[in-house]
Amino acid sequence: MKLNNCFNILLAAYLATFLRLAINNNLIISLIGSFLVGFFTSKRLSYSNEKILLSGFFSCFTSFSGFIYFLYKILNKGDWIKFIIFFNLIIIVNLFTMFLGSWLSRKIT
């Protein structure tokens, strides 16, 4: 990978981190990120643009740790039913949102 691509990935990750801090809501960030990942993955992107978006921007924007921390807080309270419901709900809603982004991207193009 070229040095320029590495710099662009780092810049995208840097910008995504600040955008994540500005929004400061795990559910909204997860939904926006899932939609945009679905939207951009259905486009024919170059290898470098795909790495910049997926490995740089979206990996920092929709970090898995926010999702895990949210579930950990519920599990730590001992509320297994709420944990199972939220775990499944978050995954299903994010998959649907990603599908919606992919579908909309194909309709626009």
Side-chain angles (χ1 to χ4, degrees), residues 17-29 32 61:
T17 302
F18 281 108
L19 187 58
R20 180 179 174 80
L21 290 173
I23 295 174
N24 198 24
N25 185 319
N26 283 332
L27 180 62
I28 291 172
I29 288 169
I32 291 171
F61 183 66

Side-chain angles (χ1 to χ4, degrees), residues 74-90:
I74 293 171
L75 192 59
N76 207 22
K77 292 178 184 176
D79 197 350
W80 283 92
I81 301 296
K82 191 175 181 180
F83 171 80
I84 292 169
I85 290 170
F86 274 111
F87 179 81
N88 289 308
L89 185 65
I90 288 170

Side-chain angles (χ1 to χ4, degrees), residues 1-10 47-48 51-52:
M1 183 177 287
K2 296 179 182 177
L3 186 60
N4 190 31
N5 287 344
C6 290
F7 176 75
N8 289 337
I9 290 171
L10 289 173
Y47 178 78
S48 61
K51 290 300 175 195
I52 290 168

